[in-house]
Amino acid sequence: GDSVTQMEGPVTLSEEAFLTINCTYTATGYPSLFWYVQYPGEGLQLLLKATKADDKGSNKGFEATYRKETTSFHLEKGSVQVSDSAVYFCALSYDKVIFGPGTSLSVIP
Amino acid sequence: DAMVIQNPRYQVTQFGKPVTLSCSQTLNHNVMYWYQQKSSQAPKLLFHYYDKDFNNEADTPDNFQSRRPNTSFCFLDIRSPGLGDAAMYLCATSAQGSGDGYTFGSGTRLTVV
């Protein structure tokens, strides 16, 4: 069945470091891909999305590119801030959303 | 702003005492979902509605029920909460076929004592 795999962390970075969180998916068709972020004690927020191959989603300095050939949707940010500390979920969807296990990110000053 | 609102943010209930969590939305989305999330794990889908059509996940315990009286409101009823039901409960909405993903509420953290 369809599934999402992502590095589970926790990931700890210093402020202004470069961030990559790897995400790969298994799907029978061509789903939309998403990154959601969950700050402590909060619900999930949609961070960015891409609906077809080679699309790049971007928001708040985060980017991810829909790579059909490698079935990947890696999240990147050039310079992380303490306020980026959260759990990040990669997800795919045709209709219902299937979440990856989440990656906890801690950014230290 | 259009949004998904969950009440209350924190709920404490006694072991075995029925509890109801509520969700409302101003987005006019036709699909509503209830998820259970434990300890920052991936959210687990309990059930969802397409309009008034109820869809239960195969592994959702019978202890969990839901009602959707209209487009804007959806309720999660836990008939006899056990200690293992302590979790964050997340409500989400989407417009079917839009490809826009879900809009989540802030969640209700349920504690069972």
Side-chain angles (χ1 to χ4, degrees):
Chain A
D2 299 333
S3 65
V4 178
T5 302
Q6 57 181 112
M7 54 191 288
E8 294 198 20
V11 174
T12 302
L13 295 174
S14 298
E15 209 166 18
E16 300 184 2
F18 185 87
L19 169 71
T20 300
I21 300 178
N22 290 336
C23 170
T24 57
Y25 66 91
T26 301
T28 52
Y30 303 101
S32 297
L33 300 176
F34 305 88
W35 277 99
Y36 286 87
V37 59
Q38 186 174 33
Y39 298 102
E42 298 292 326
L44 278 70
Q45 299 176 25
L46 179 63
L47 181 60
L48 54 84
K49 68 174 183 179
T51 57
K52 62 183 187 299
D54 300 325
D55 269 1
K56 178 186 283 189
S58 61
N59 186 24
K60 299 180 181 180
F62 291 90
E63 293 183 340
T65 301
Y66 191 143
R67 302 285 188 200
K68 188 163 70 86
E69 63 277 11
T70 55
T71 62
S72 65
F73 193 55
H74 304 321
L75 182 68
E76 296 182 336
K77 187 176 185 183
S79 176
V80 293
Q81 306 299 313
V82 172
S83 58
D84 294 326
S85 298
V87 180
Y88 292 81
F89 292 94
C90 185
L92 68 82
S93 174
Y94 302 100
D95 189 359
K96 287 188 291 185
V97 174
I98 297 170
F99 290 96
T103 301
S104 176
L105 170 67
S106 293
V107 180
I108 55 177
Chain B
D1 286 340
M3 58 177 61
V4 179
I5 300 168
Q6 290 189 244
N7 285 305
R9 287 294 306 275
Y10 301 93
Q11 175 74 57
V12 179
T13 191
Q14 292 181 332
F15 183 95
K17 183 176 181 181
V19 65
T20 295
L21 311 181
S22 71
C23 176
S24 64
Q25 56 136 337
T26 60
L27 297 159
N28 204 34
H29 285 169
N30 65 321
V31 193
M32 294 187 78
Y33 309 81
W34 278 105
Y35 282 85
Q36 180 191 65
Q37 187 185 29
K38 296 186 176 182
S39 302
S40 290
Q41 298 174 17
K44 177 180 180 299
L45 182 63
L46 296 173
F47 23 63
H48 64 285
Y49 284 89
Y50 290 112
D51 298 307
K52 284 192 173 288
D53 292 335
F54 176 72
N55 298 270
N56 198 33
E57 294 300 297
D59 58 353
T60 298
D62 292 339
N63 198 26
F64 291 84
Q65 305 286 321
S66 183
R67 297 169 282 136
R68 188 180 185 186
N70 53 52
T71 300
S72 300
F73 287 88
C74 196
F75 300 97
L76 170 62
D77 301 308
I78 308 176
R79 292 191 298 186
S80 182
L83 298 178
D85 296 328
M88 173 79 90
Y89 289 89
L90 297 166
C91 175
T93 71
S94 70
Q96 186 176 0
S98 70
D100 288 338
Y102 293 179
T103 302
F104 280 87
S106 296
T108 295
R109 179 158 306 276
L110 178 68
T111 300
V112 181
V113 298

